[in-house]
Amino acid sequence: MKDVGLYIHIPFCRGKCSYCSFVSAVKDEGYIARYTTALRRELERVLSKNINVDTLYIGGGTPSAINSEEIERIVDTIKKHSVYAPREFTIECNPESIDDEKLAVYKRVGASRISVGVQSLSDRVLKSVGRLHDSKTAIEAVSKAVKYGFDVSVDMILGLPGSTFEDIDTFVDTFSDIGVDHISAYALKVEEGTRLFEEVESGKTVILDDDAMADQYDRLHEKSLSCGYRRYEVSNFSKENKESLHNMKYWEMDEYIGVGASAHSYFGSKRYYNVEDVDRYIENVENGIFIEEKEEDVVADTHFEETLMLGLRLEKGVALSKLDDILGGSFVDKYRGRIDKARDFVDISNGRLAIKPAYMPVMNSIIIKLLYD
């Protein structure tokens, strides 16, 4: 029996933030019900009693923006069509859509972890990018989730227009005091097709340059350490033993199945993903059409490169034995010349290859040296 991570995509939000390029939409309850019915039909198709769902992650979009009864139906379908023994069950939420009723249902269906999209505690910054909550709402929502007994993670975005070092300090201090276990921090990306892209192109909004963004990252790392959070992945910081078990599957090349519009999977040595367009996804499933948008075999060369690239995102790095198994020989021997060139930036010890902590912010250039230089 295979242990598999299961990701469920809920592509609905109450509004669209200026920077958002994810597959998400604002829809009525009837449309949402059509989508979740289609999603449950896909679950019935892809799951089996040979699969043990050992991590479950319901993300989006904003899962907390839909009725909690829909979440309950989705979980019931998973239980019915697989072996269901999750070590971790995460639901993503936004502050403005968290309430007691939803948290009680999430607890009843077995959720253990809530990931809250806070992004900033500066009301000025939140308003500028179109977030629907203010800092008071965020703090109250996160506090409520902690009191319900969930492990709680909060997201923040570095480099939002107008953000400061003081904003970072306030964010980390506030949530550490509340009892938050985990912080995920992502650098702002200006994606074509978003409102923010248009604002930057027109000169209405000015964003940080790379050096200033790096300074914000360094400030976050320093502040998080002082509050007891350990960086275990380049964008993720946790209290002891509170790492995201589901996301670790991605970084360690473990198998996972994604269900819903735009959801990605890595299963049976194949990568594939569903159609992005939500209308088309629903119509396909309603018509009995289950065709992934793209499928590719993960051959040995690709498997090696992905294992190295994803594993080096982790502070502990990647196991040499895993690389040796893929190569059919010693990674250190085969890549000795490239390792020597990158020696100042990497460490090999205790059977693992890792990027030295000081160089994690420039990990991409180091990975290129190891793979291609």
PDB file of all heavy atoms in Angstrom, residues 217-231:
ATOM      1  N   TYR A 217      14.244  39.591   3.421  1.00  0.00           N
ATOM      2  CA  TYR A 217      14.354  38.167   3.735  1.00  0.00           C
ATOM      3  C   TYR A 217      15.325  37.950   4.903  1.00  0.00           C
ATOM      4  O   TYR A 217      15.040  37.187   5.837  1.00  0.00           O
ATOM      5  CB  TYR A 217      14.809  37.385   2.510  1.00  0.00           C
ATOM      6  CG  TYR A 217      14.986  35.910   2.769  1.00  0.00           C
ATOM      7  CD1 TYR A 217      13.916  35.029   2.644  1.00  0.00           C
ATOM      8  CD2 TYR A 217      16.222  35.388   3.160  1.00  0.00           C
ATOM      9  CE1 TYR A 217      14.066  33.672   2.887  1.00  0.00           C
ATOM     10  CE2 TYR A 217      16.386  34.035   3.411  1.00  0.00           C
ATOM     11  CZ  TYR A 217      15.301  33.183   3.272  1.00  0.00           C
ATOM     12  OH  TYR A 217      15.458  31.845   3.535  1.00  0.00           O
ATOM     13  N   ASP A 218      16.472  38.612   4.855  1.00  0.00           N
ATOM     14  CA  ASP A 218      17.453  38.471   5.935  1.00  0.00           C
ATOM     15  C   ASP A 218      16.867  38.935   7.268  1.00  0.00           C
ATOM     16  O   ASP A 218      17.104  38.315   8.310  1.00  0.00           O
ATOM     17  CB  ASP A 218      18.712  39.276   5.613  1.00  0.00           C
ATOM     18  CG  ASP A 218      19.540  38.664   4.500  1.00  0.00           C
ATOM     19  OD1 ASP A 218      19.347  37.472   4.197  1.00  0.00           O
ATOM     20  OD2 ASP A 218      20.377  39.387   3.921  1.00  0.00           O
ATOM     21  N   ARG A 219      16.095  40.026   7.234  1.00  0.00           N
ATOM     22  CA  ARG A 219      15.480  40.529   8.463  1.00  0.00           C
ATOM     23  C   ARG A 219      14.488  39.499   9.007  1.00  0.00           C
ATOM     24  O   ARG A 219      14.445  39.237  10.219  1.00  0.00           O
ATOM     25  CB  ARG A 219      14.776  41.856   8.172  1.00  0.00           C
ATOM     26  CG  ARG A 219      14.097  42.498   9.381  1.00  0.00           C
ATOM     27  CD  ARG A 219      15.103  42.901  10.461  1.00  0.00           C
ATOM     28  NE  ARG A 219      14.511  43.790  11.443  1.00  0.00           N
ATOM     29  CZ  ARG A 219      14.861  45.061  11.608  1.00  0.00           C
ATOM     30  NH1 ARG A 219      15.820  45.596  10.875  1.00  0.00           N
ATOM     31  NH2 ARG A 219      14.276  45.803  12.536  1.00  0.00           N
ATOM     32  N   LEU A 220      13.694  38.895   8.112  1.00  0.00           N
ATOM     33  CA  LEU A 220      12.738  37.881   8.555  1.00  0.00           C
ATOM     34  C   LEU A 220      13.458  36.685   9.168  1.00  0.00           C
ATOM     35  O   LEU A 220      13.053  36.179  10.229  1.00  0.00           O
ATOM     36  CB  LEU A 220      11.876  37.417   7.383  1.00  0.00           C
ATOM     37  CG  LEU A 220      11.008  36.184   7.663  1.00  0.00           C
ATOM     38  CD1 LEU A 220       9.935  36.512   8.692  1.00  0.00           C
ATOM     39  CD2 LEU A 220      10.392  35.641   6.391  1.00  0.00           C
ATOM     40  N   HIS A 221      14.512  36.218   8.510  1.00  0.00           N
ATOM     41  CA  HIS A 221      15.252  35.068   9.028  1.00  0.00           C
ATOM     42  C   HIS A 221      15.803  35.367  10.416  1.00  0.00           C
ATOM     43  O   HIS A 221      15.659  34.560  11.359  1.00  0.00           O
ATOM     44  CB  HIS A 221      16.389  34.718   8.062  1.00  0.00           C
ATOM     45  CG  HIS A 221      17.135  33.485   8.441  1.00  0.00           C
ATOM     46  ND1 HIS A 221      18.462  33.291   8.121  1.00  0.00           N
ATOM     47  CD2 HIS A 221      16.754  32.370   9.129  1.00  0.00           C
ATOM     48  CE1 HIS A 221      18.855  32.118   8.583  1.00  0.00           C
ATOM     49  NE2 HIS A 221      17.843  31.544   9.199  1.00  0.00           N
ATOM     50  N   GLU A 222      16.411  36.516  10.562  1.00  0.00           N
ATOM     51  CA  GLU A 222      17.000  36.913  11.842  1.00  0.00           C
ATOM     52  C   GLU A 222      15.932  37.025  12.932  1.00  0.00           C
ATOM     53  O   GLU A 222      16.096  36.525  14.053  1.00  0.00           O
ATOM     54  CB  GLU A 222      17.711  38.261  11.643  1.00  0.00           C
ATOM     55  CG  GLU A 222      18.452  38.797  12.844  1.00  0.00           C
ATOM     56  CD  GLU A 222      19.128  40.127  12.509  1.00  0.00           C
ATOM     57  OE1 GLU A 222      19.967  40.154  11.602  1.00  0.00           O
ATOM     58  OE2 GLU A 222      18.779  41.135  13.150  1.00  0.00           O
ATOM     59  N   LYS A 223      14.818  37.671  12.599  1.00  0.00           N
ATOM     60  CA  LYS A 223      13.751  37.872  13.579  1.00  0.00           C
ATOM     61  C   LYS A 223      13.096  36.549  13.949  1.00  0.00           C
ATOM     62  O   LYS A 223      12.793  36.300  15.129  1.00  0.00           O
ATOM     63  CB  LYS A 223      12.706  38.839  12.998  1.00  0.00           C
ATOM     64  CG  LYS A 223      11.593  39.199  13.983  1.00  0.00           C
ATOM     65  CD  LYS A 223      12.159  39.973  15.163  1.00  0.00           C
ATOM     66  CE  LYS A 223      11.095  40.311  16.163  1.00  0.00           C
ATOM     67  NZ  LYS A 223      11.649  41.002  17.358  1.00  0.00           N
ATOM     68  N   SER A 224      12.880  35.686  12.979  1.00  0.00           N
ATOM     69  CA  SER A 224      12.252  34.397  13.246  1.00  0.00           C
ATOM     70  C   SER A 224      13.102  33.553  14.185  1.00  0.00           C
ATOM     71  O   SER A 224      12.581  32.937  15.127  1.00  0.00           O
ATOM     72  CB  SER A 224      12.016  33.642  11.931  1.00  0.00           C
ATOM     73  OG  SER A 224      11.111  34.338  11.110  1.00  0.00           O
ATOM     74  N   LEU A 225      14.410  33.536  13.941  1.00  0.00           N
ATOM     75  CA  LEU A 225      15.312  32.794  14.823  1.00  0.00           C
ATOM     76  C   LEU A 225      15.218  33.297  16.258  1.00  0.00           C
ATOM     77  O   LEU A 225      15.188  32.512  17.210  1.00  0.00           O
ATOM     78  CB  LEU A 225      16.752  32.913  14.325  1.00  0.00           C
ATOM     79  CG  LEU A 225      17.156  32.035  13.140  1.00  0.00           C
ATOM     80  CD1 LEU A 225      18.559  32.411  12.664  1.00  0.00           C
ATOM     81  CD2 LEU A 225      17.100  30.562  13.518  1.00  0.00           C
ATOM     82  N   SER A 226      15.141  34.605  16.412  1.00  0.00           N
ATOM     83  CA  SER A 226      15.093  35.183  17.760  1.00  0.00           C
ATOM     84  C   SER A 226      13.797  34.827  18.491  1.00  0.00           C
ATOM     85  O   SER A 226      13.736  34.891  19.716  1.00  0.00           O
ATOM     86  CB  SER A 226      15.249  36.710  17.691  1.00  0.00           C
ATOM     87  OG  SER A 226      14.079  37.329  17.180  1.00  0.00           O
ATOM     88  N   CYS A 227      12.763  34.450  17.731  1.00  0.00           N
ATOM     89  CA  CYS A 227      11.470  34.092  18.325  1.00  0.00           C
ATOM     90  C   CYS A 227      11.245  32.580  18.374  1.00  0.00           C
ATOM     91  O   CYS A 227      10.131  32.121  18.660  1.00  0.00           O
ATOM     92  CB  CYS A 227      10.332  34.764  17.558  1.00  0.00           C
ATOM     93  SG  CYS A 227      10.248  36.562  17.781  1.00  0.00           S
ATOM     94  N   GLY A 228      12.286  31.817  18.076  1.00  0.00           N
ATOM     95  CA  GLY A 228      12.188  30.373  18.228  1.00  0.00           C
ATOM     96  C   GLY A 228      11.721  29.611  17.012  1.00  0.00           C
ATOM     97  O   GLY A 228      11.406  28.417  17.103  1.00  0.00           O
ATOM     98  N   TYR A 229      11.683  30.280  15.859  1.00  0.00           N
ATOM     99  CA  TYR A 229      11.340  29.591  14.614  1.00  0.00           C
ATOM    100  C   TYR A 229      12.621  29.171  13.896  1.00  0.00           C
ATOM    101  O   TYR A 229      13.546  29.972  13.764  1.00  0.00           O
ATOM    102  CB  TYR A 229      10.537  30.493  13.681  1.00  0.00           C
ATOM    103  CG  TYR A 229       9.183  30.908  14.203  1.00  0.00           C
ATOM    104  CD1 TYR A 229       9.036  32.120  14.876  1.00  0.00           C
ATOM    105  CD2 TYR A 229       8.068  30.104  14.031  1.00  0.00           C
ATOM    106  CE1 TYR A 229       7.793  32.520  15.358  1.00  0.00           C
ATOM    107  CE2 TYR A 229       6.825  30.496  14.502  1.00  0.00           C
ATOM    108  CZ  TYR A 229       6.695  31.701  15.163  1.00  0.00           C
ATOM    109  OH  TYR A 229       5.472  32.087  15.643  1.00  0.00           O
ATOM    110  N   ARG A 230      12.646  27.932  13.426  1.00  0.00           N
ATOM    111  CA  ARG A 230      13.803  27.417  12.698  1.00  0.00           C
ATOM    112  C   ARG A 230      13.469  27.356  11.212  1.00  0.00           C
ATOM    113  O   ARG A 230      12.435  26.832  10.822  1.00  0.00           O
ATOM    114  CB  ARG A 230      14.163  26.015  13.194  1.00  0.00           C
ATOM    115  CG  ARG A 230      15.352  25.382  12.494  1.00  0.00           C
ATOM    116  CD  ARG A 230      15.568  23.960  12.993  1.00  0.00           C
ATOM    117  NE  ARG A 230      14.461  23.086  12.657  1.00  0.00           N
ATOM    118  CZ  ARG A 230      14.342  22.416  11.508  1.00  0.00           C
ATOM    119  NH1 ARG A 230      15.274  22.539  10.569  1.00  0.00           N
ATOM    120  NH2 ARG A 230      13.304  21.632  11.292  1.00  0.00           N
ATOM    121  N   ARG A 231      14.340  27.904  10.380  1.00  0.00           N
ATOM    122  CA  ARG A 231      14.149  27.765   8.939  1.00  0.00           C
ATOM    123  C   ARG A 231      14.470  26.330   8.546  1.00  0.00           C
ATOM    124  O   ARG A 231      15.587  25.872   8.694  1.00  0.00           O
ATOM    125  CB  ARG A 231      15.070  28.724   8.182  1.00  0.00           C
ATOM    126  CG  ARG A 231      14.883  28.642   6.657  1.00  0.00           C
ATOM    127  CD  ARG A 231      15.762  29.629   5.936  1.00  0.00           C
ATOM    128  NE  ARG A 231      17.168  29.336   6.114  1.00  0.00           N
ATOM    129  CZ  ARG A 231      18.181  30.145   5.760  1.00  0.00           C
ATOM    130  NH1 ARG A 231      17.911  31.307   5.205  1.00  0.00           N
ATOM    131  NH2 ARG A 231      19.437  29.798   5.962  1.00  0.00           N
TER     132      ARG A 231
END
